[in-house]
Amino acid sequence: MGKCKNITRLLSDALDRPLKAGEWVAIGLHLPTCSGCRNYRKHIGLLRAAARAMSGLDDADGDRAED
Ligand SMILES: [Zn+2]
């Protein structure tokens, strides 16, 4: 059951570095099955959006819209 810990770590990493394709696949396979990780993703997504809004920066730095 270490899966969620791994996935949430990847979601967190995704804010700081580009994830590898295999890492996105792991996330994509896990999120539909796990409301906890979906909530985590939503949570950090909102935090990032808030941080961007507050800093006034909106740089599309290669972030893919994965929603
Ligand atoms: Zn999970």
Side-chain angles (χ1 to χ4, degrees):
M1 290 298 284
K3 190 87 175 178
C4 289
K5 195 169 181 179
N6 188 42
I7 295 299
T8 54
R9 185 178 59 74
L10 286 177
L11 289 171
S12 178
D13 283 357
L15 302 180
D16 300 321
R17 67 173 177 88
L19 297 187
K20 296 170 187 151
E23 292 173 328
W24 282 122
V25 168
I27 291 170
L29 288 175
H30 182 76
L31 283 186
T33 71
C34 182
S35 61
C37 288
R38 281 202 305 275
N39 283 337
Y40 179 81
R41 179 180 177 277
K42 196 156 110 182
H43 184 62
I44 64 172
L46 287 174
L47 285 180
R48 179 169 63 169
R52 274 190 185 174
M54 286 174 69
S55 67
L57 296 175
D58 191 22
D59 55 333
D61 54 352
D63 263 357
R64 262 160 288 171
E66 70 262 22
D67 279 318

